[in-house]
Amino acid sequence: MPKEDEFLYGEFPKNFWWSVASSAYQVEGGWRDDGKGLSIWDQFSHTPLKISNGDNGDVACDSYHKIEEDVEMLKSLKVSSYRFSISWSRVLPDGTTRYVNEMGLNYYERLIDALLAANIIPQVTLYHWDLPQALQNVGGWENDTIVQRFKEYAELLFQRLGDKVKFWITVNEPYNVAYAGISIRPGRAPYVVAHNLIKAHAEAWHLYNDTYRAKQGGLISITINSDWAEPRNPHNQEDISAARRYLEFLLGWFAHPIFKTGDYNEVMKTRIRERSLAQGLSQSRLPEFTESEKQRIKGTYDYFGLNHYTTVLTYNLNYPAVTDRSWLNSGSFWLKVTPFGFRKLLRWIKEEYDNPPIYVTENGVSERGASDFNDTWRIHYYRSYINEALKAIVLDAVDLRGYTAWTLMDNFEWAVGFDEKFGFYHVNFTDPDLPRRPKASARYYTQIINCNGFPDAAAGPHPCLELESEGKRYSRNCAFLV
Ligand code: BGC
């Protein structure tokens, strides 16, 4: 076994944040009689298996009415923080500050209070993909007036929730917001969307930095998603360059402006200009930032938020990535179990962006088909990925501050509906009460949290491996897992 594949026993730094995530549209439910405006996802009618509540919207996991149950699950997981998102159209039904839906805002206040009472730190995402439909009607992220709209929305939340929320994420996975349009709006649109997302993020960061940081003292940044890219043939220069290109087009698209220079990376600029000109366009499809915009964007971060799930193999063709058939599958076609890539990506971010503090804001694995509460594949995924995170800290000196598992409970997995399940908790969607029940992986994650890592089994039984009450039996039977 190569040295880097060996399991590393050891602990995470003291005060490491152990978290679990969800997002508004995926768990809350619509409940428009409580004043929520339509979002683009309420309008997305082709989604299979959407669980509908008639005219009142979609039910999802109904977290909107289940604060207590959700917080109980978090307490029993023993997480130090909970990452959730605010539904823009629940708070501002038409996307603008013209009208504030107090009932919607109150839901988040109650959730935050319940978390704080349980000693759980709220990590709040402003935008996790559920754009108010009213803003989409005027062009959505393609219309640059959205930058101001987003800033006003952010300001309302800083004002109303900022004395209790100390960890903000402006945008979740800007790549997917921009890319979502590629198939239906090829050409320039994804680049314009990305351009506006970067500016909107930068404006929210400056607003917080200038006006709210001094009295509220929190952190604010962006969460970027990325695979790790491995050259298909590690000795072939073309494959190596393709790996670099893959990372620059995915993670670097947003990270280079924000964490480095204020501008797009050269790999993207060169490639997109060449292709645009070759197609007879007079200029690159990639928009340019003005000098003052670059100054405004550069350095607008307090930490590096990273969502990571999988690895690809790259080579020099138009479709630049494949996977290895020997890699373990999951319930999602795009997600192969490749823990080694996690450590490599963390190290790459450290080296590329001058060692920023990193919070992993999502990482996890899905299943499909009939429920099996003994989800050993998920235990295997978390054990091996979290161990790679430990190696990144201990062996590569990556400044990793926190880890977030995706996701608290099975929920609405976007275009695939409820078929792909990432949860620690199973949700029975056929029962109107939507009861939640833990899978084995929930207890396993709690054990990692209790131990703050992986105590060496050779050193004898460690007290942290003994979970309370019903967990006890499990930790004895599964001692082989640690
Ligand atoms: C998103 C989540 C999503 C998860 C699994 C991430 O891209 O932020 O909302 O459910 O991946 O696909």
Side-chain angles (χ1 to χ4, degrees):
M1 183 187 270
K3 182 103 186 80
E4 65 266 23
D5 288 350
E6 279 173 25
F7 195 81
L8 179 71
Y9 291 98
E11 278 187 34
F12 281 78
K14 274 204 169 50
N15 303 324
F16 190 78
W17 287 20
W18 293 105
S19 182
V20 68
S22 72
S23 89
Y25 193 74
Q26 294 180 275
V27 299
E28 277 176 13
W31 306 101
R32 280 193 282 285
D33 55 1
D34 289 304
K36 181 182 177 296
L38 284 179
S39 86
I40 52 175
W41 279 93
D42 295 305
Q43 297 294 80
F44 185 59
S45 56
H46 304 295
T47 306
L49 282 173
K50 230 162 141 168
I51 298 174
S52 164
N53 185 29
D55 289 342
N56 207 4
D58 296 297
V59 178
C61 306
D62 197 16
S63 284
Y64 186 63
H65 292 108
K66 293 185 185 296
I67 290 181
E68 254 175 55
E69 286 175 65
D70 288 2
V71 173
E72 274 313 308
M73 291 193 281
L74 296 163
K75 277 160 72 174
S76 106
L77 280 174
K78 296 210 162 63
V79 287
S80 46
S81 31
Y82 176 45
R83 176 180 175 220
F84 63 94
S85 79
I86 308 255
S87 157
W88 189 339
S89 68
R90 186 183 292 292
V91 174
L92 301 176
D94 74 356
T96 76
T97 46
R98 240 189 320 256
Y99 171 69
V100 179
N101 176 29
E102 291 295 337
M103 228 188 319
L105 197 53
N106 180 257
Y107 162 67
Y108 296 108
E109 284 166 349
R110 285 183 288 120
L111 173 59
I112 291 165
D113 286 342
L115 292 171
L116 293 176
N119 239 329
I120 297 170
I121 304 164
Q123 296 174 291
V124 181
T125 310
L126 302 184
Y127 186 69
H128 200 125
W129 306 358
D130 46 355
L131 191 72
Q133 182 61 38
L135 295 183
Q136 188 60 49
N137 294 344
V138 294
W141 287 102
E142 284 178 61
N143 179 342
D144 61 11
T145 57
I146 193 137
V147 176
Q148 180 62 21
R149 295 273 107 94
F150 182 74
K151 189 176 164 187
E152 287 160 6
Y153 164 55
E155 176 137 47
L156 174 77
L157 299 181
F158 299 154
Q159 278 167 354
R160 301 290 291 271
L161 307 175
D163 56 339
K164 292 175 179 167
V165 174
K166 305 298 165 198
F167 192 100
W168 296 101
I169 299 168
T170 54
V171 176
N172 178 67
E173 301 193 352
Y175 180 91
N176 282 330
V177 180
Y179 188 83
I182 279 183
S183 52
I184 39 175
R185 298 163 307 157
R188 197 160 180 270
Y191 298 118
V192 173
V193 166
H195 212 64
N196 288 330
L197 283 163
I198 293 169
K199 287 193 203 171
H201 155 78
E203 286 311 315
W205 187 90
H206 278 291
L207 174 65
Y208 190 79
N209 196 48
D210 297 346
T211 312
Y212 295 92
R213 191 191 294 287
K215 53 178 185 294
Q216 297 184 348
L219 300 175
I220 178 164
S221 210
I222 188 167
T223 274
I224 299 175
N225 60 302
S226 192
D227 305 335
W228 172 246
E230 190 74 22
R232 188 170 62 165
N233 173 354
H235 307 292
N236 178 336
Q237 189 49 49
E238 286 199 338
D239 291 3
I240 297 171
S241 310
R244 172 93 204 172
R245 228 173 16 250
Y246 191 93
L247 287 174
E248 290 291 13
F249 268 79
L250 178 50
L251 180 139
W253 189 356
F254 305 92
H256 198 277
I258 294 167
F259 292 84
K260 242 177 157 166
T261 64
D263 195 9
Y264 296 116
N265 62 74
E266 290 305 319
V267 173
M268 276 188 94
K269 289 207 289 193
T270 311
R271 184 73 157 200
I272 297 168
R273 180 175 310 108
E274 278 170 13
R275 296 222 161 170
S276 304
L277 299 185
Q279 286 165 9
L281 298 173
S282 61
Q283 57 175 21
S284 176
R285 279 190 299 267
L286 186 67
E288 287 179 12
F289 293 118
T290 64
E291 280 313 311
S292 68
E293 284 170 345
K294 287 181 203 167
Q295 287 315 312
R296 190 117 180 112
I297 292 163
K298 182 181 169 180
T300 52
Y301 68 91
D302 298 340
Y303 60 85
F304 195 112
L306 173 70
N307 288 357
H308 171 75
Y309 289 87
T310 198
T311 291
V312 294
L313 297 175
T314 59
Y315 58 104
N316 190 29
L317 275 186
N318 268 344
Y319 188 76
V322 288
T323 55
D324 187 320
R325 253 179 286 174
S326 73
W327 293 345
L328 278 181
N329 282 317
S330 71
S332 310
F333 75 92
W334 52 271
L335 204 176
K336 310 288 172 194
V337 183
T338 49
F340 61 89
F342 192 21
R343 176 178 170 193
K344 291 185 179 187
L345 180 63
L346 288 166
R347 192 169 49 200
W348 194 82
I349 292 170
K350 174 192 173 191
E351 284 160 11
E352 198 61 34
Y353 304 109
D354 198 19
N355 197 21
I358 303 175
Y359 286 83
V360 169
T361 43
E362 276 181 38
N363 175 242
V365 71
S366 58
E367 71 247 358
R368 268 177 176 269
S371 323
D372 183 349
F373 287 89
N374 191 17
D375 55 345
T376 47
W377 53 89
R378 181 166 291 104
I379 293 176
H380 168 73
Y381 183 98
Y382 282 122
R383 178 180 190 263
S384 45
Y385 273 71
I386 294 174
N387 199 246
E388 293 299 315
L390 181 64
K391 290 178 194 171
I393 297 175
V394 174
L395 307 176
D396 306 333
V398 170
D399 186 5
L400 182 63
R401 307 277 177 96
Y403 173 89
T404 310
W406 182 271
T407 176
L408 175 59
M409 62 192 136
D410 293 341
N411 60 42
F412 177 76
E413 178 54 21
W414 305 114
V416 291
F418 292 89
D419 276 0
E420 286 174 22
K421 303 173 176 130
F422 282 79
F424 280 130
Y425 281 74
H426 169 270
V427 178
N428 182 356
F429 292 104
T430 54
D431 181 330
D433 287 338
L434 301 163
R436 288 90 152 114
R437 192 179 139 196
K439 305 176 190 174
S441 57
R443 294 190 203 99
Y444 181 67
Y445 189 47
T446 305
Q447 183 174 291
I448 292 183
I449 297 173
N450 259 343
C451 297
N452 200 30
F454 308 94
D456 193 346
H462 193 285
C464 69
L465 297 174
E466 285 293 312
L467 293 179
E468 291 149 23
S469 60
E470 79 322 355
K472 261 199 175 139
R473 199 166 45 100
Y474 171 79
S475 80
R476 263 205 304 278
N477 292 343
C478 298
F480 67 91
L481 285 168
V482 286

